[in-house]
Amino acid sequence: MTSIIAGRLQRQDQVELAITELLAAGFPRDGISTFYVNPAGQHDLYPIGGDRDESPGTGEADEGLLRGAATGGAIGAAVGVAGIAVMGPVSSVLGAAVGAHIGTLVGSLSQMKEGGEDEAGTDHALPQRESGMVVAVAMNGQGTEAQVIAILEALGADQIERADGTIAAGDWGDFDPRDAPNLIRHPA
């Protein structure tokens, strides 16, 4: 693994100029990676699409579901007992089932996090990586980070970041678009 400096650009001509300038500065072509990062949630990392097998912020939803089902079922059964005179013994069972169903919905939704709300130990917190063209340079002893940053900034890059990884033959193989960027230059 080596240190990597990467910046997000908006247009393909900016990417091509960045490559030209990085090569002129002495950086080898096989240590430069360019690619497009899709918007969050659209990376198709799973066979049915998406970035995760479970949505961030739903970690406590199962607990809320169980509590809601128990509470709703008990309340529904009590209401059903009151209706025994009208509907017979089936009303308590029906009341418990309806109450449990409503309770699961309310309970699970009450435990979910709002967008951008921190959830300890998860990647639900901001900042997220924004979509766009990325130019990444492996710092393998040729040139300096300051040179790469200056070239990327001059071409209008924002979200310039430092990462650890491996770029081989122009491919940043261990790049994970879900990782929050370690920004060294923030967008204006």
Side-chain angles (χ1 to χ4, degrees), residues 6 11 27 33-34 38 43 65 67 72 84 97 113 116 146 155 165 176:
R11 298 185 326 264
F27 293 95
S33 181
T34 60
N38 289 332
H43 302 297
L65 181 135
R67 283 196 315 239
I84 287 178
K113 305 292 183 198
L155 293 169
D176 188 344

Side-chain angles (χ1 to χ4, degrees), residues 24-110:
F27 293 95
R29 181 63 182 105
D30 65 345
I32 301 170
S33 181
T34 60
F35 52 93
Y36 183 78
V37 174
N38 289 332
Q42 298 180 14
H43 302 297
D44 290 333
L45 299 175
Y46 287 86
I48 60 169
D51 295 350
R52 295 170 175 82
D53 61 347
E54 183 178 286
S55 294
T58 62
E60 297 172 10
D62 291 344
E63 180 182 320
L65 181 135
L66 294 174
R67 283 196 315 239
T71 304
I75 292 170
V79 170
V81 167
I84 287 178
V86 176
M87 293 181 61
V90 76
S91 69
S92 63
V93 174
L94 184 60
V98 170
H101 177 69
I102 293 170
T104 60
L105 294 173
V106 172
S108 60
L109 290 173
S110 71

Side-chain angles (χ1 to χ4, degrees), residues 127-139:
Q128 290 185 339
R129 187 179 309 281
E130 293 185 28
S131 63
M133 295 295 302
V134 173
V135 175
V137 181
M139 303 308 300

Side-chain angles (χ1 to χ4, degrees), residues 4 6 10 12 20 27 45-46 56 73 83 86 95 100 105 108 131-132 140 146 151 153-154 171 183-184 187:
I4 294 173
Q10 294 301 314
Q12 185 65 37
T20 301
F27 293 95
L45 299 175
Y46 287 86
V86 176
L105 294 173
S108 60
S131 63
N140 290 328
I151 290 169
E153 282 181 335
D171 181 36
L183 298 176
I184 53 178

Side-chain angles (χ1 to χ4, degrees), residues 5 22 25-28 137-148 151:
I5 302 296
L22 289 164
F27 293 95
V137 181
M139 303 308 300
N140 290 328
Q142 299 89 358
T144 66
E145 288 184 1
Q147 285 177 295
V148 175
I151 290 169

